[in-house]
Structures are given as C-alpha cells and as structure tokens.
C-alpha cells in the first residue's frame, strides 16, 4: 500500500464490523480486531444446530473475505485518540476507528471449534426425548421451530417470563406465533421463569416460578445477552455511553463529539429494533462516510442514517415464518419463502464477495 494510505481500525467482526472492513479494504489500510478468527451469521446458527452441515456456510474465516487487510485475533481493552490497545498488549494506530462490538456472546476462537460446537449441540438434541427452551424472544422461538420441524417426535417446552412471545414486535405477530407453536405440539408457558439449578442429574426435572415441574433431558438458554460495551467505560468514550451502555451516535454514525470515531450495529443508541439487516445498513453508511473523510471532502457530503421501520421476519422451521410489516402481519409459507429456506445466508456471503454455496460446503 502507498505510504499515505489512511489507517482504519474496526473493532468487532460481527455482521456490521465484517461488512465495513470488507468495504474499506482496498481504499484504506484496514485492521480488524476480533476475539475470534471468523465471522458468524448468528441468526442462522439455530439451523446449524439441527443441521450441522449448514454451519459450513454460516461460519466464515475473516481472512476469506478480508483479503487485503489485517486480522488481529484479540479483544480490544482500551482506546485513545490515536490507538487501540488489545488484550495481548498490542497497540494499533488508527486514523479512523469503527466500533462494532455488538452484544457479548462468548464463542470459541477458531472456526473448527465453532463447527464442533454445532455437532455437539445437534447430538444433544438428537439424544434427547424432551427439550426445555428458556426464553421466548426470536432466538427461543426460532430454535423451537427448528426442532419441531426437524424432530417432530421430541417433546419441546418453551418457558418465557413475559406475557407474550416476541416482545420486540407487535402482539398480532406474537399471537400468530403462539398458535403456530401450539400447532406443532410445543408446550408454551408464559409469565414464568425457570431455576436451571433446580434440576438434579438423576431426575431431569426443572421447576418454574409458578411451581410447575418440567421434565427435560436437556435445556437451551435463549435469553438476551449484554451489550459489548463494558470495556469502553474507562476509555475516552466513557461519556459517550448512554444509561443503557449504548454509544450515542449522530446522523452520520459518528460517536457524538468525535470527528473520526464511528459506531455501528447493536452497540448504538439508534432508536430501532436491533436486527442484522439494519446493522448491515449501518456498515455501508459508515464505510461511505469514512471514504468521504479520507478523500478530504466536506462533512456536508456525508451520508445520513435514518432509523429503520418496525419490520421483522422470524423464521418458524424451514418453510414458515411470521412477518411484521408496517401495515400488516403475515404468517406461513409466504414470509417463509423470503427468509426460512436459506435464512439470507447466500445474500450475506455475496455481500462479502464469497460464493453463496462454496464448493467445499
């Protein structure tokens, strides 16, 4: 690269971080900092639990798409006005910084280890006669749907502490989803929690907050994960975090008060539902704005980001889905055609410049 090439550091290799790094790799000296060696299409991970082979397409080594950048496999622990410090003590200088650390989701370091986890989870499902799912958000609902469709003989119980499922979207979508789950003989218990420590190895009995006993050979915890922003509380951005730990950004996705630091994805305070396709939109806006600043153009030329509308598609197995659109809610095979068959995996892979269906997968 030329000696005057600007240095862009991206912290976080999720759906937003990977796309912004890929988008800038031929116009800047890009360094991607991530604790793991791969990008994972997280919303497709539940399909890989019932069909481990699917994970071959959804777990992608960073170096497969970041062919002209540097990958540092570590966590970031501090930032200054000019540098990022990693957990290994490496200092990485930047001219522009993009923070995309999303939610905390402990994962193994290598792609092989992650694929082995899918195999283990699949074996766990296969060997169980009864399965407990804790959490009725999109993860819990989609996992219940995957198991119900692929393993219809399993006894599945879903316990959710809320008064309805999928609280991030409207009640109509929640009601339609509940009816669909019941049609697949899934036992849904609302307004209850489960003490996972109440199970003894001999009985496989779990007790709910309502005093009910649930027999389950295994369980999956599908509750929310904390934001990946705790490490910022002792950095120069400590005053840029809101009361929920989210980074406050302006309409150009720059951290408020900062000239050359951007934040994208779930870690931002943008008032919208946190979803993968919106994080991808953040990445493209941020990449465009970094290019504008690198070219020395006026700030007035920068792209603005407008919060997304309340749209969502939650897959229900391989054929069906529930979709909330601005003016209606649909459930069944029509929204299923949009998402459930491939879970947008081919589309994401193409965005990263990869084959939708790699030969080795």
């Amino acid at each position: 690269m030329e000696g005057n090439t600007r240095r862009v550091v991206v912290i976080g290799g999720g759906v937003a971080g990977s796309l912004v790094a890929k988008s800038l790799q031929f116009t800047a000296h890009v360094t991607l900092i991530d604790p793991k060696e791969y990008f994972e299409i997280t919303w497709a991970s539940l399909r890989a639990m019932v069909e481990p082979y699917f994970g071959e397409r959804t777990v992608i080594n960073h170096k497969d798409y970041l062919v002209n950048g540097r990958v540092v496999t570590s966590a970031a622990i501090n930032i200054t006005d000019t540098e990022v410090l990693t957990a290994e003590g490496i200092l990485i200088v930047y001219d522009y910084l993009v923070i995309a650390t999303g939610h905390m989701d402990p994962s193994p370091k290598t792609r092989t280890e992650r694929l082995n986890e899918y195999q283990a989870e699949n074996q766990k499902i296969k060997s169980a006669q009864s399965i407990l799912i804790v959490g009725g958000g999109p993860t819990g609902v989609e996992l219940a749907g995957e198991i119900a469709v692929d393993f219809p003989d399993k006894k599945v119980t879903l316990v959710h502490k809320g008064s309805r499922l999928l609280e991030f979207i409207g009640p109509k979508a929640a009601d339609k989803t509940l009816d669909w789950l019941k049609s697949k003989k899934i036992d849904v218990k609302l307004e209850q929690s489960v003490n996972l420590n109440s199970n003894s190895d001999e009985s496989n009995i779990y007790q709910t907050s309502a005093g009910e006993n649930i027999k389950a050979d295994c369980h999956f915890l599908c509750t929310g994960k904390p934001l990946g922003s705790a490490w910022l509380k002792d950095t120069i951005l400590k005053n840029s975090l809101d009361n929920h730990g989210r980074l406050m950004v302006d309409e150009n996705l720059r951290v408020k008060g900062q000239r050359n630091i951007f934040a994208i994805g779930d870690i931002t305070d943008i008032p919208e539902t946190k979803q993968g396709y919106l994080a991808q939109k953040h990445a493209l806006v941020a990449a465009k704005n970094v290019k504008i600043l690198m070219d020395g153009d006026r700030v007035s030329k920068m792209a603005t980001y407008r919060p997304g509308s309340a749209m969502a598609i939650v897959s229900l197995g391989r054929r069906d889905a529930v979709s909330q659109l601005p003016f209606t809610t649909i459930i069944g095979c029509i929204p299923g055609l949009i998402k459930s068959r491939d879970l947008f995996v081919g589309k994401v892979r193409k965005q990263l410049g990869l084959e939708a269906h790699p030969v080795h997968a």
Side-chain angles (χ1 to χ4, degrees), residues 1-207:
M1 288 199 179
E2 296 177 13
N4 62 353
T5 302
R6 296 304 182 107
R7 296 159 298 194
V8 176
V9 173
V10 179
I11 305 175
V15 63
S18 61
L19 184 55
V20 78
K22 182 261 178 187
S23 301
L24 292 169
Q25 63 179 324
F26 293 108
T27 54
H29 191 298
V30 173
T31 300
L32 175 66
I33 302 173
D34 192 55
K36 56 193 189 319
E37 296 175 357
Y38 56 89
F39 158 60
E40 179 174 12
I41 305 174
T42 49
W43 61 82
S45 62
L46 306 170
R47 177 70 51 82
M49 289 169 63
V50 297
E51 182 191 342
Y53 190 65
F54 196 70
E56 294 284 347
R57 296 174 59 224
T58 65
V59 183
I60 302 160
N61 279 323
H62 291 312
K63 290 179 180 177
D64 286 351
Y65 66 86
L66 195 61
V67 295
N68 198 45
R70 173 189 178 199
V71 178
V72 175
T73 308
S74 181
I77 60 171
N78 197 8
I79 58 174
T80 68
D81 291 320
T82 56
E83 294 174 323
V84 178
L85 175 64
T86 73
E88 274 70 38
I90 302 170
L91 277 174
I92 302 168
V93 178
Y94 70 86
D95 297 303
Y96 298 94
L97 177 65
V98 183
I99 302 173
T101 45
H103 283 85
M104 292 289 291
D105 193 5
S107 300
K109 181 179 179 179
T110 70
R111 179 177 185 269
T112 299
E113 289 173 313
R114 185 67 180 114
L115 294 177
N116 288 341
E117 281 190 346
Y118 285 145
Q119 292 285 355
E121 288 164 341
N122 179 251
Q123 196 54 47
K124 184 175 164 182
I125 292 169
K126 280 183 173 178
S127 61
Q129 292 300 311
S130 52
I131 298 167
L132 169 64
I133 296 172
V134 180
T139 304
V141 166
E142 291 192 344
L143 179 58
E146 294 287 345
I147 295 173
V149 168
D150 276 32
F151 301 97
D153 295 333
K154 307 289 185 188
K155 167 64 177 170
V156 178
T157 303
L158 188 153
V159 178
H160 182 55
K161 66 180 180 181
S163 59
R164 64 179 179 88
L165 301 170
L166 302 175
E167 289 158 308
F168 77 107
I169 54 177
K172 281 187 179 179
D175 292 343
K176 289 176 184 287
T177 301
L178 179 61
D179 291 341
W180 187 92
L181 292 174
K182 287 181 175 177
S183 76
K184 300 298 180 185
K185 298 182 172 55
I186 294 173
D187 186 8
V188 179
K189 298 181 185 296
L190 298 174
E191 298 185 86
Q192 296 188 50
S193 57
V194 178
N195 178 8
L196 294 175
N197 296 321
S198 65
N199 170 49
S200 65
D201 293 336
E202 296 80 19
S203 64
N204 288 340
I205 300 292
Y206 297 84
Q207 191 170 65

Side-chain angles (χ1 to χ4, degrees), residues 156-310:
V156 178
T157 303
L158 188 153
V159 178
H160 182 55
K161 66 180 180 181
S163 59
R164 64 179 179 88
L165 301 170
L166 302 175
E167 289 158 308
F168 77 107
I169 54 177
K172 281 187 179 179
D175 292 343
K176 289 176 184 287
T177 301
L178 179 61
D179 291 341
W180 187 92
L181 292 174
K182 287 181 175 177
S183 76
K184 300 298 180 185
K185 298 182 172 55
I186 294 173
D187 186 8
V188 179
K189 298 181 185 296
L190 298 174
E191 298 185 86
Q192 296 188 50
S193 57
V194 178
N195 178 8
L196 294 175
N197 296 321
S198 65
N199 170 49
S200 65
D201 293 336
E202 296 80 19
S203 64
N204 288 340
I205 300 292
Y206 297 84
Q207 191 170 65
T208 74
S209 55
E212 289 189 52
N213 289 329
I214 300 171
K215 186 177 189 310
D217 297 326
C218 68
H219 76 269
F220 293 96
L221 184 61
C222 299
T223 53
K225 298 176 175 66
L227 280 172
S229 63
W231 66 282
L232 290 167
K233 292 177 181 176
D234 295 318
T235 72
I236 60 167
L237 297 184
K238 61 184 177 183
N239 295 323
S240 301
L241 296 167
D242 69 9
N243 292 334
H244 302 284
R246 299 172 300 202
L247 276 172
M248 296 180 284
V249 296
D250 63 19
E251 62 182 3
N252 307 124
L253 301 183
R254 287 192 293 189
V255 175
K256 286 185 177 176
Q258 300 294 326
R259 181 188 59 81
N260 61 337
I261 301 178
F262 292 78
I264 56 176
D266 290 358
I267 201 171
T268 65
D269 70 335
I270 298 171
E272 63 187 6
T273 304
K274 304 303 182 186
Q275 298 187 81
Y277 81 97
L278 294 176
Q280 290 171 318
K281 288 185 176 182
H282 296 186
L284 296 176
V285 169
K288 182 176 181 179
N289 287 340
V290 169
K291 287 178 185 177
I292 287 172
L293 293 178
M294 285 193 300
D295 290 341
D297 288 340
R298 294 191 306 274
V299 172
S300 60
K301 286 190 174 183
M302 291 174 69
T304 60
Y305 179 80
R306 290 175 175 80
S309 59

